[in-house]
Amino acid sequence: MWTAVPLTAPAVQGPCRTSGAVRERRLRRGAARVPVTAMAPRAATPASEVAAGSVSEGSMDWAQREYPTFVTHLECSMTGERYEAGQVHGLSAAGRPLLVRYDLPAMAQNLSRDELAARTDGGFWRYRELLPVTRTCNILPLGEVTTPLVPLDRLAAALGGGRLLVKDEGRLPTGSFKARGLALAVAMAKELGLQHLAMPTNGNAGAAMAAYAARAGLRSTVFCPADTPEVNVSEIELQGATVYRVNGLINDCGKIVGEGKETVGWFDCSTLKEPYRIEGKKTMGLELAEQLGWRVPDVILYPCGGGTGLIGMWKAFAELEALGWIGSKRPRMVAVQASGCAPIVRAWERGDEHAPLWEDAHTIAAGIRVPVAVGDFLIIRAINESGGVG
């Protein structure tokens, strides 16, 4: 048995500024204070200082070419309403995520698995035809790699056999799988002429957006809960973003981002509120299938917050089947949530397709502390269609 597990790791304070001392700043709303502990800058070069072409790209001649685009349109995930490609979009008119659609029969005539295998470097950018970026100049390389599958033989034996694998997403730029989604979101923001991006984060996604925005020369603003670990806050700022801490959870941060679209003019890069983070996250599924010899695992255990990665992998498998690269078999998708914040699990157990807000969300696994998900029905559909569990 194959099992793969991707690793993850109201009042506004800020913007944060690191220094050599612990400081406090009064929040803009209310009188509460939150201490901000500074950290020394890391030795790694910020993305803003990486010059074009300076990233080690190995034998990536293929990456310098222009490619035909196979994107046909975007589609509301709830109603099926079509939206024109090549334009700025957020949610659909129904308030639901948009999905990118491709001319997969035409793609199958222009790309083979052997051609893909010849692209030995470049990480998820290798899947260029399966991604929405239309111009090579908008690709934003930061040294991406194909993340390895690490066997956990002793744990598998202790659990009674089978083969247990972990896909080590910590090898990606900024140290988490969030780099996949934000690389595509920022690349498309650059391609569509956006200048200022904003998002809520529990930590890792904000760092990824800041890094790729710096690489693209775009402005970024990030809102995170007040209890976000200091290492995450410092990383986001060191990558060039303006960072605010919020007395609340990630959904409260998201409300501030939404309100600021009109007043400040930034573009909202929140989970599933733009169409392209799914396209980046689906590359986990593309890589898994390729690494397993164009087979899929029996089960995928996915730590689930907003669920973009689970939705993206499910989309990837459908596209690979349409290309004729895999068969109809699908892995059982398992959404894993913390007991203190489990809206998807609760909805699935009740037989519901939508997951109401989880009140008083709490867990030490900050990255999956997401009390409500705009793509809840897509997560639950994937679980049900695969015979998985939540």
Side-chain angles (χ1 to χ4, degrees):
M1 179 181 73
W2 298 88
T3 305
V5 189
L7 287 176
T8 61
V12 181
Q13 169 195 346
C16 299
R17 288 291 180 266
T18 56
S19 71
V22 177
R23 296 181 293 177
E24 292 184 351
R25 297 178 184 83
R26 185 173 298 276
L27 302 179
R28 290 185 178 179
R29 304 176 192 171
R33 289 175 177 266
V34 181
V36 179
T37 306
M39 297 187 65
R42 298 176 303 170
T45 304
S48 58
E49 297 179 15
V50 179
S54 68
V55 177
S56 176
E57 294 175 347
S59 55
M60 286 180 61
D61 291 342
W62 62 268
Q64 311 308 317
R65 295 163 33 198
E66 295 293 342
Y67 289 81
T69 179
F70 295 96
V71 175
T72 57
H73 63 284
L74 283 71
E75 179 181 289
C76 175
S77 55
M78 175 68 77
T79 67
E81 181 182 359
R82 292 170 66 107
Y83 291 77
E84 186 175 349
Q87 297 184 0
V88 177
H89 295 291
L91 294 172
S92 72
R96 295 298 176 179
L98 291 175
L99 302 175
V100 180
R101 297 305 186 192
Y102 300 84
D103 184 346
L104 295 169
M107 191 187 302
Q109 297 298 314
N110 286 272
L111 178 66
S112 68
R113 295 188 305 191
D114 289 341
E115 181 180 351
L116 184 63
R119 302 173 185 175
T120 55
D121 295 295
F124 51 76
W125 297 117
R126 295 171 59 247
Y127 304 104
R128 177 68 181 275
E129 291 86 347
L130 280 152
L131 299 176
V133 182
T134 64
R135 300 183 61 199
T136 297
C137 65
N138 294 317
I139 297 293
L140 303 169
L142 282 177
E144 295 80 7
V145 298
T146 298
T147 59
L149 294 177
V150 181
L152 304 179
D153 295 337
R154 289 196 299 275
L155 179 57
L159 293 173
R163 188 174 185 189
L164 182 63
L165 304 169
V166 167
K167 189 160 177 58
D168 184 4
E169 294 287 278
R171 311 291 184 93
L172 291 169
T174 72
S176 84
F177 75 144
K178 300 291 186 179
R180 295 181 186 269
L182 273 304
L184 267 296
V186 176
M188 289 303 298
K190 180 185 176 188
E191 181 154 297
L192 295 170
L194 299 173
Q195 298 296 319
H196 187 183
L197 310 179
M199 71 178 302
T201 185
N202 281 318
N204 289 332
M209 187 185 78
Y212 282 100
R215 183 74 167 91
L218 305 181
R219 183 181 174 191
S220 59
T221 301
V222 175
F223 295 84
C224 56
D227 61 355
T228 301
E230 185 61 36
V231 65
N232 296 107
V233 177
S234 296
E235 180 183 13
I236 295 167
E237 189 188 23
L238 287 168
Q239 293 288 11
T242 300
V243 188
Y244 295 89
R245 278 176 157 164
V246 176
N247 280 347
L249 300 176
I250 192 169
N251 53 309
D252 300 304
C253 298
K255 291 175 184 176
I256 296 170
V257 173
E259 292 169 357
K261 287 191 295 183
E262 297 298 328
T263 57
V264 182
W266 55 47
F267 180 76
D268 187 350
C269 281
S270 301
T271 300
L272 297 176
K273 291 186 179 179
E274 58 77 51
Y276 303 111
R277 287 175 68 178
I278 292 177
E279 296 305 294
K281 291 288 189 70
K282 83 179 183 186
T283 62
M284 284 191 293
L286 302 177
E287 280 186 17
L288 275 173
E290 187 177 11
Q291 289 172 305
L292 298 177
W294 300 109
R295 293 179 293 167
V296 297
D298 295 314
V299 180
I300 294 179
L301 303 173
Y302 181 81
C304 186
T308 313
L310 189 150
I311 297 165
M313 286 188 287
W314 196 244
K315 185 174 187 287
F317 299 140
E319 292 174 356
L320 289 175
E321 183 181 5
L323 288 172
W325 292 8
I326 65 172
S328 60
K329 178 187 173 181
R330 295 290 184 274
R332 295 174 60 202
M333 307 298 285
V334 179
V336 180
Q337 297 195 296
S339 60
C341 184
I344 299 299
V345 172
R346 180 177 63 185
W348 180 83
E349 289 176 342
R350 292 176 176 177
D352 297 333
E353 194 170 60
H354 295 284
L357 175 72
W358 184 280
E359 300 290 349
D360 189 29
H362 61 278
T363 170
I364 60 172
I368 58 173
R369 188 180 60 181
V370 180
V372 63
V374 69
D376 50 4
F377 68 103
L378 293 172
I379 302 167
I380 293 172
R381 284 179 186 177
I383 293 171
N384 290 335
E385 291 171 9
S386 71
V389 297

